[in-house]
Amino acid sequence: MNSVTRGARRELLLFSGRAHPDLAARIARELGTRLVPTQARDFANGEIYVRFEESVRGADCFVTQSHTAPINAWIMEQLIMIDALKRASARSITVVAPFYGYSRQDKKHKGREPISARLVADLLSAAGADRVITIDLHTDQIVGFFDGPVDHLFALPTLADHIAAGTDRERLTVVSPDAGRVRVADRWCDRLGAPLAIVHKKRDKDVAHRVSVHEVVGEVAGRVCVLVDDMVDTAGTICAAADALYANGAEDVIVAATHGILSGPAVDRLKNSRVSRFVFTDTLPTAGATGLDKVEVLSVAPLISHAIREIFENGSVTSLLDEL
């Protein structure tokens, strides 16, 4: 089966860039289709060439690309793919960005800074994207950077249900690693029926990735603490928060994050941390950490494929949010 069809005039085609082909293949399997064969290569000077080997005229096209390292190259590749589809007369083009690059640069903290998350949105729109599917944006306001529809999905049900299945809920405390994650942590509390704690921290605004943990607000002594965040990059923040919880008497600490970026020293920090389990999703490739027994990776392919099918069949993507 080469495509999913609806009626006599609708065709769904799924495309993947080279950043995270494993996730794209899982999405294709969930949809019962295959990825459209694509030529993609780099010229000697680093320029990217893309050509699709099948007609896309009149088709509803979904272009999946996770913005992983080297992030600028993969964003550019996705833009080129969108442009190729637009020029080949695709009926519609939906960007599937499980991890949306530059999402942390969503506002100006100082003068003369860019708002790079808005820039990426403008680039996608200018290339020809009609719609965007993404998971757990760093801040909800990024949705407003797009003029067209944005389907902002959440991995919380996948992560929370997995953790709840292997832990005594009566002993759980949900912990926000900072004040900015409290709203997300509240959703976890509602789903798990667990109390909330907060790690109060102060970040050095002049030195990237330097965090000083000050105190824990809430009761964590003797509890199994679930530290929840949208992403783990160098793992400095999350490991420091875990140390603070142990220092305040936590019996165990589990980390749950949607996006395992795992840059630089992250894998070594995970390995040496007292955290018993790190649970991520496969929005990004985590090959460097898959050999660690304490790292678990859950797939978001069912979630993304469900959203794609709802969009293609003119259904309700909002129904996917009812579980939150």
Side-chain angles (χ1 to χ4, degrees):
M1 184 176 182
N2 294 337
S3 64
V4 179
T5 59
R6 180 178 182 270
R9 294 174 295 176
R10 295 285 302 281
E11 185 177 26
L12 185 160
L13 296 179
L14 182 65
F15 303 81
S16 173
R18 293 174 290 171
H20 196 2
D22 290 344
L23 175 58
R26 294 182 195 113
I27 295 170
R29 286 196 295 270
E30 291 286 338
L31 287 169
T33 185
R34 67 179 177 91
L35 296 167
V36 173
T38 303
Q39 294 182 39
R41 61 178 183 268
D42 299 328
F43 289 110
N45 68 345
E47 291 180 4
I48 297 170
Y49 171 83
V50 170
R51 181 178 182 273
F52 305 116
E53 297 182 348
E54 295 179 359
S55 173
V56 303
R57 183 179 298 275
D60 293 297
C61 300
F62 294 80
V63 185
T64 180
Q65 181 85 302
S66 288
H67 299 167
T68 186
I71 188 168
N72 297 324
W74 298 139
I75 290 175
M76 189 66 194
E77 181 175 86
Q78 191 170 37
L79 293 170
I80 291 170
M81 294 173 73
I82 295 166
D83 184 74
L85 291 171
K86 178 180 67 175
R87 297 178 188 279
S89 301
R91 180 181 183 272
S92 68
I93 303 171
T94 298
V95 166
V96 181
F99 174 71
Y100 180 83
Y102 289 89
S103 63
R104 283 172 287 187
Q105 300 183 43
D106 62 305
K107 57 183 174 293
K108 294 178 66 173
H109 297 275
K110 300 179 182 179
R112 301 178 299 281
E113 284 186 339
I115 303 179
S116 303
R118 172 59 190 263
L119 175 61
V120 173
D122 289 343
L123 289 170
L124 293 170
S125 297
D130 300 301
R131 191 181 191 113
V132 174
I133 299 173
T134 191
I135 299 177
D136 284 334
L137 290 168
H138 190 59
T139 56
D140 291 338
Q141 72 185 38
I142 295 174
V143 170
F145 293 168
F146 295 87
D147 291 332
V150 177
D151 298 298
H152 185 196
L153 308 179
F154 299 94
L156 188 158
T158 301
L159 291 166
D161 292 352
H162 176 78
I163 289 173
T167 313
D168 181 2
R169 289 196 184 195
E170 297 298 321
R171 301 171 59 221
L172 285 178
T173 293
V174 176
V175 183
S176 172
D178 56 47
R181 297 287 103 191
V182 170
R183 184 178 178 186
V184 173
D186 273 336
R187 295 172 183 164
W188 276 77
C189 291
D190 291 341
R191 190 169 188 88
L192 296 177
L196 173 68
I198 304 168
V199 177
H200 175 66
K201 70 177 185 180
K202 183 177 181 181
R203 184 182 296 275
D204 190 332
K205 63 182 179 181
D206 295 317
V207 181
H209 310 303
R210 180 177 293 176
V211 173
S212 298
V213 176
H214 287 265
E215 61 180 310
V216 175
V217 181
E219 183 57 50
V220 300
R223 306 285 293 177
V224 176
C225 296
V226 184
L227 261 172
V228 299
D229 212 343
D230 62 320
M231 65 180 75
V232 173
D233 191 353
T234 62
T237 297
I238 209 74
C239 289
D243 289 342
L245 293 172
Y246 280 117
N248 280 267
E251 180 179 315
D252 190 18
V253 178
I254 301 168
V255 170
T258 303
H259 311 296
I261 303 175
L262 306 184
S263 305
V267 173
D268 286 337
R269 286 173 173 168
L270 266 57
K271 185 185 304 183
N272 298 322
S273 171
R274 294 177 63 189
V275 173
S276 64
R277 297 163 63 193
F278 289 90
V279 185
F280 304 117
T281 73
D282 60 353
T283 57
L284 293 168
T286 54
T290 50
L292 300 180
D293 292 338
K294 62 172 66 177
V295 174
E296 303 170 20
V297 180
L298 311 178
S299 184
V300 291
L303 176 64
I304 294 174
S305 63
H306 193 168
I308 289 174
R309 192 174 294 279
E310 290 293 336
I311 291 168
F312 179 63
E313 296 178 350
N314 295 322
S316 173
V317 179
T318 304
S319 63
L320 298 177
L321 308 179
D322 290 343
E323 295 184 35
L324 292 177

